[in-house]
Amino acid sequence: MTPLYIDNHCHLNFDDYDADREAVIARMKEQGVGAIVVGVDRKSSEEVVALAEKHDNLYAIVGLHPIYAGGYAGREAFDYDFYKNLIQSNKKVVGIGECGFDYASMDPEDHRLQDVAFRGQVKLANELGKPLMLHLRNNRDGDLSKNAYNDALAILKTESKVPGEAHFFAGTLPQATDFLGLGYYISFTGVVTFVDAYNDLVRYIPEDRLLSETDAPYVAPVPHRGKRCEPQFVIETVKEMAEIRGIADNEADRRAFFNKLVENSRKLYGIF
């Protein structure tokens, strides 16, 4: 299918959708929504590949999330050969991740394990020429003794040879500038529909580097707040992004903006 909208980051394999997954995907197709389904560990990476194989509006990204590499969800070692084989054996795998740093835990050993896993995924991305899907989150209590964005940038600037996506971006304008300088795209979720803190970023990022996502089943946008998020809700996110950028009133301009977001996904991931 040729989508009207793309959700660049969702987790349709999660058990939140076990009761009605096929119905959710059918609603996506009715609304012209394509999506990239993202793994977080070995098991979920196999699941997203299976989903992508089954549906023409889905693609997969596989890898090890930092909280599964070292954090509150576990300590799974990054298996380089497993992920390499999974990627090479399926053409619908379009990227590696989500990987990076998550400092919700401030345990130094978790940080070391996250660093090892991230560098491994950067190396694999370089070898296979696949984009990286980054997960970056600072400490929830405001402890910035370690900054996930700065730590990732330091590694990418010296070790990475591929572009990627900074998923659910919540960094600063200077950090966004650094990611753009590395060829990265910046992605926003439905949070932009109910929080103004991202408005300057949404306006700042060049149109040809913007991406849209849901992070479903999390952070459902207005008017779906409090409900399980679905990938089709990305439509609300892109409408709000257009509003923030001052292009919501003219229908032709708005449609051109939506098309540009789709084209950006195609350019980065080679999808659809």
Side-chain angles (χ1 to χ4, degrees):
M1 63 168 285
T2 301
L4 298 173
Y5 312 91
I6 295 180
D7 178 1
N8 273 269
H9 189 115
C10 65
H11 301 284
L12 276 172
N13 59 302
F14 281 9
D15 57 13
D16 303 72
Y17 302 101
D18 283 353
D20 63 345
R21 185 173 291 106
E22 292 302 315
V24 171
I25 295 171
R27 287 194 287 273
M28 293 170 59
K29 290 182 177 180
E30 289 172 1
Q31 297 294 318
V33 176
I36 299 174
V37 192
V38 182
V40 296
D41 59 6
R42 285 180 52 133
K43 178 177 179 291
S44 64
S45 290
E46 291 178 321
E47 291 171 349
V48 299
V49 168
L51 270 176
E53 287 179 329
K54 187 177 179 181
H55 297 280
D56 64 357
N57 67 327
L58 300 180
Y59 284 81
I61 285 179
V62 301
L64 184 60
H65 192 295
I67 68 168
Y68 288 84
Y72 57 83
R75 288 182 173 179
E76 179 178 304
F78 177 66
D79 189 332
Y80 193 99
D81 291 335
F82 168 82
Y83 288 104
K84 180 178 178 179
N85 180 67
L86 189 61
I87 294 165
Q88 290 184 318
S89 63
N90 193 285
K91 293 181 179 179
K92 295 197 78 176
V93 178
V94 298
I96 296 171
E98 57 186 292
C99 57
F101 295 102
D102 189 309
Y103 293 148
S105 165
M106 293 301 288
D107 185 328
E109 179 62 8
D110 285 340
H111 297 173
R112 185 188 71 81
L113 293 170
Q114 289 183 18
D115 184 90
V116 170
F118 183 45
R119 291 176 192 269
Q121 289 171 93
V122 170
K123 180 181 177 181
L124 182 59
N126 289 342
E127 180 181 350
L128 300 182
K130 295 290 186 181
L132 288 161
M133 172 73 75
L134 300 187
H135 170 100
L136 303 169
R137 178 164 59 178
N138 291 322
N139 182 263
R140 293 167 176 169
D141 296 327
D143 184 345
L144 293 180
S145 58
K146 288 184 69 64
N147 185 286
Y149 292 86
N150 291 340
D151 290 350
L153 282 164
I155 292 171
L156 294 172
K157 286 176 179 178
T158 58
E159 299 183 24
S160 180
K161 301 176 183 178
V162 299
E165 173 181 346
H167 140 71
F168 207 144
F169 193 82
T172 65
L173 287 174
Q175 288 167 339
T177 299
D178 282 347
F179 278 108
L180 293 171
L182 294 172
Y184 267 71
Y185 292 70
I186 308 294
S187 185
F188 296 97
T189 68
V191 172
V192 300
T193 67
F194 56 88
V195 172
D196 292 336
Y198 298 94
N199 290 6
D200 287 345
L201 280 164
V202 172
R203 296 187 192 101
Y204 174 76
I205 306 301
E207 187 178 84
D208 63 354
R209 295 293 191 85
L210 274 173
L211 296 173
S212 55
E213 61 164 300
T214 62
D215 203 17
Y218 309 115
V219 294
V222 173
H224 307 289
R225 293 293 295 142
K227 301 177 183 178
R228 176 194 67 180
C229 190
E230 297 184 13
Q232 66 177 3
F233 295 170
V234 75
I235 297 171
E236 305 300 334
T237 300
V238 300
K239 288 179 178 178
E240 183 63 24
M241 289 168 68
E243 180 77 31
I244 293 168
R245 290 174 69 92
I247 54 176
D249 293 336
N250 183 289
E251 183 58 33
D253 290 346
R254 185 165 67 164
R255 185 67 257 172
F257 176 67
F258 298 163
N259 291 342
K260 187 61 179 177
L261 294 179
V262 172
E263 180 59 31
N264 292 346
S265 299
R266 286 177 173 153
K267 185 175 181 180
L268 178 60
Y269 293 113
I271 57 178
F272 300 105

